[in-house]
Amino acid sequence: MSTVATIAVVALALLHVYILVLEMFLWTTPRARASFGTSEEFALATKAMAANQGLYNGFLAAGLFWGAFASDPVGFQVRVFFASCVAVAGLFGAVTSSRKILFVQTVPALVVLLLVLLAH
C-alpha cells in the first residue's frame, strides 16, 4: 500500500478516535455539545446512548488501524471493509441526523477508499 493511502487510513482512524472521545467522555461538555449541536439538557439525557455510539466509533477506528498495518491480502480487505463501513455510517448519519456528517465522515471515508483502491 502506498504511504499516502496508509496515512489516509490512519488519519480516518484518528478521526474516529476523536469522535469516540467526544461521545464517550466529553458528551456533556460545551465542546462536544457545540460539535454535535446539542443542548445541555439533551446531552445529559442521552449520555449513555452517546457513549454507546462512541464505542462503535472505536470499533471503526480499531478496524482501520488493523487494516493500515496488516499485511495484504487481509490488510487490503480490512481497509476496504472498514472504510466502506465508515462511508455507509456517514451516509446514514447525514440522512437521519445532520448533513454535516456527510462532510465530516462520508467524504473522508470515500477519499480513503479511493486511495486504498488506487494503491492496490
Side-chain angles (χ1 to χ4, degrees):
M1 178 167 68
S2 77
T3 302
V4 172
T6 301
I7 290 168
V9 171
V10 170
L12 189 60
L14 290 171
L15 171 64
H16 283 275
V17 169
Y18 177 68
I19 295 169
L20 172 150
V21 170
L22 283 176
E23 292 177 338
M24 290 190 81
F25 306 111
L26 303 176
W27 185 250
T28 58
T29 66
R31 178 186 215 169
R33 291 195 328 265
S35 293
F36 293 100
T38 59
S39 67
E40 185 175 4
E41 300 78 33
F42 180 84
L44 289 170
T46 59
K47 189 174 179 177
M49 180 204 64
N52 189 41
Q53 283 182 191
L55 184 62
Y56 284 95
N57 278 290
F59 293 142
L60 291 173
L64 290 163
F65 282 126
W66 173 28
F69 300 107
S71 300
D72 289 338
V74 171
F76 172 73
Q77 294 164 345
V78 170
R79 290 187 296 275
V80 168
F81 176 77
F82 279 95
S84 298
C85 286
V86 171
V88 170
L91 284 174
F92 184 78
V95 169
T96 61
S97 181
S98 168
R99 280 187 139 164
K100 177 181 164 185
I101 296 170
L102 188 68
F103 302 102
V104 172
Q105 191 172 10
T106 308
V107 171
L110 292 175
V111 169
V112 167
L113 184 59
L114 179 64
L115 290 170
V116 166
L117 292 172
L118 290 173
H120 187 64

